[in-house]
Amino acid sequence: MLPLRWPLTIAAGVLIAGAWAGRKGHQAEDPPPAPEPTPVAQEPVAPPTPSPDAVHQGPMFPEGLPMASIGLPEGLANPTAQGCAACHGSIVASWEASAHAQAWQGERYRQAVRDASQPEECQACHLPFAAQHPQRVIHHAEGLPDAPQHATNPDWSPSLQREGVTCAACHLRQGQVVGPRGDGAAPHPVAASADLGSPTLCAACHQLSWPESETAWYDTYGEWYRSPFREAGVGCQDCHMAPQAGPVTTGRFAAHAGHAMAVETSQAVSILLELDSPEITRGAPFAFRIRLQSTGTGHAFPTGHPGKTYIVRAAVVDAAGEPMHDPSEDALVRRVQEEPPFALVEDTRLPARGELLLEHEATIVVKKAPGPALLRVSIFDERQEQPLFERSFPVTIL
């Protein structure tokens, strides 16, 4: 394309030539202009029509992570979610609210990887394409996995990096858009993949172990695999990408998988209270039992990296929400040794389709006012101040 200054230069040249011809005035007349050639009609060239029977063969991550090549299909301007939004705006908006979209931008994650000296294993999943990494690993010094040597990555894309686990991470393979089914009407090649809706897709990032480990570092897929959910045919996507109705593309309304990766804790766990009496006397010990049941979780609660901790806090609270005694607390956590063989130290979490009975005794402070109150059970992520969810049970203080 010519720079913007060229049309102005050409126009100025025409004006100057005309003025020079005017000054020469009465010289020989200019020859008549040559006739314009008759344009020949050209048939429009249509883009190749994708076959509705196209199938993506093989696993979605055959070479592990991060993936070396994106393989931009014909018909797509770029591999970012911005490029997908033109036709799939509703789905991209749903994805933007997900943890996948914040996989690299989340400050809590970025601080964690800074504290851990930028471990490759973390970044490989949070930034699944090589083009998302400003530095690339060229080799490991003395073959040690914790001593990588880096070089500047000439293919680094800051636009792609900021999107973390972006659309392309699951939907671009070998120069094709991969979907749950082939689509011959799409403006780009679409291949169907059975793996796209399979829990094995999730396992690429949600299952991690070391050769010398006695237990998996991330075991979410393993927890699901050993659970009754797998036996019943309920996979990861059934809960975390439940179908919803809406615009799939511009002009097409249909049921499709939700991409917000919603995690509704209140639908995952039941909190059942066992109490001898609804009336509690101040100054006298009373016992209560909390029965946690995994009624909607296909993996342990919580799941994820070792050390991730949820706190179950219980207390009788007054009308202002202030505790009337020292609250009870139970930790739901899995801990492993920090050195090989990373043996399991403890696991107090709620297993998939299992239950926990938490027994406690407390005494209401005598100076507290009698009357209506609530026995409130809350579940917190220890890294957050607000509870994930809570249940309150009416009681009367005597």
Side-chain angles (χ1 to χ4, degrees):
M1 178 183 293
L2 293 176
L4 186 59
R5 66 177 182 272
W6 272 89
L8 300 177
T9 306
I10 294 172
V14 171
L15 292 174
I16 292 172
W20 179 249
R23 284 197 298 271
K24 296 175 71 173
H26 300 290
Q27 296 184 9
E29 295 183 1
D30 293 335
E36 292 285 340
T38 303
V40 178
Q42 300 287 336
E43 290 292 333
V45 178
T49 302
S51 168
D53 301 322
V55 176
H56 173 75
Q57 301 288 351
M60 294 291 285
F61 303 98
E63 299 176 358
L65 294 170
M67 291 178 280
S69 173
I70 295 175
L72 189 66
E74 184 175 356
L76 292 188
N78 65 72
T80 71
Q82 300 176 75
C84 303
C87 295
H88 304 284
S90 177
I91 294 177
V92 170
S94 177
W95 163 83
E96 286 176 335
S98 73
H100 280 172
Q102 296 299 314
W104 181 77
Q105 293 192 73
E107 183 52 39
R108 192 167 67 188
Y109 161 74
R110 295 179 68 177
Q111 183 60 52
V113 295
R114 284 195 293 267
D115 293 344
S117 301
Q118 309 288 337
E120 297 172 56
E121 294 78 13
C122 298
Q123 304 215 57
C125 285
H126 284 255
L127 297 171
F129 284 109
Q132 294 177 304
H133 298 255
Q135 301 286 319
R136 59 187 178 90
V137 177
I138 51 178
H139 73 277
H140 292 82
E142 301 178 0
L144 299 176
D146 58 348
Q149 294 190 358
H150 297 84
T152 300
N153 183 5
D155 299 321
W156 174 55
S157 166
S159 300
L160 199 62
Q161 182 188 40
R162 69 173 295 276
E163 294 184 352
V165 183
T166 187
C167 310
C170 295
H171 290 286
L172 288 189
R173 292 295 183 279
Q174 300 170 353
Q176 294 176 310
V177 174
V178 177
R181 60 182 179 274
D183 188 352
H188 48 65
V190 179
S193 171
D195 280 348
L196 190 63
S198 167
T200 56
L201 176 75
C202 309
C205 285
H206 294 276
Q207 188 73 17
L208 174 64
S209 188
W210 320 112
E212 65 271 32
S213 295
E214 289 185 3
T215 183
W217 194 256
Y218 278 79
D219 196 30
T220 303
Y221 175 83
E223 293 161 4
W224 166 83
Y225 191 87
R226 298 185 296 270
S227 78
F229 279 76
R230 180 187 67 87
E231 298 174 7
V234 179
C236 312
Q237 291 88 338
D238 292 318
C239 294
H240 293 284
M241 300 186 72
Q244 60 186 40
V248 182
T249 64
T250 50
R252 180 166 168 253
F253 190 97
H256 61 277
H259 283 65
M261 303 296 160
V263 179
E264 186 53 63
T265 313
S266 62
Q267 297 177 1
V269 177
S270 295
I271 298 176
L272 307 178
L273 178 67
E274 298 176 6
L275 192 63
D276 294 334
S277 170
E279 297 179 339
I280 301 174
T281 302
R282 292 170 295 166
F286 71 98
F288 64 94
R289 296 163 298 280
I290 302 167
R291 191 176 298 275
L292 295 183
Q293 292 182 335
S294 171
T295 46
T297 311
H299 46 68
F301 178 85
T303 191
H305 62 82
K308 183 178 182 180
T309 305
Y310 283 0
I311 301 296
V312 182
R313 184 178 302 159
V316 175
V317 299
D318 59 21
E322 293 298 321
M324 305 180 77
H325 60 88
D326 290 335
S328 67
E329 290 193 351
D330 296 277
L332 308 180
V333 61
R334 176 176 68 104
R335 302 187 195 279
V336 301
Q337 293 177 342
E338 296 184 0
E339 301 292 335
F342 305 109
L344 182 66
V345 175
E346 66 171 333
D347 191 346
T348 61
R349 301 174 301 162
L350 180 62
R353 297 298 289 178
E355 69 173 41
L356 294 175
L357 181 62
L358 311 175
E359 301 183 83
H360 293 282
E361 186 176 89
T363 302
I364 302 295
V365 177
V366 174
K367 67 179 182 180
K368 296 292 185 180
L374 295 173
L375 201 165
R376 178 169 295 160
V377 182
S378 307
I379 298 182
F380 290 82
D381 184 326
E382 71 168 0
R383 302 166 296 180
Q384 300 174 354
E385 295 183 2
Q386 296 301 315
L388 298 170
F389 80 109
E390 57 189 15
R391 294 284 183 264
S392 297
F393 305 88
V395 295
T396 301
I397 306 303
L398 302 179

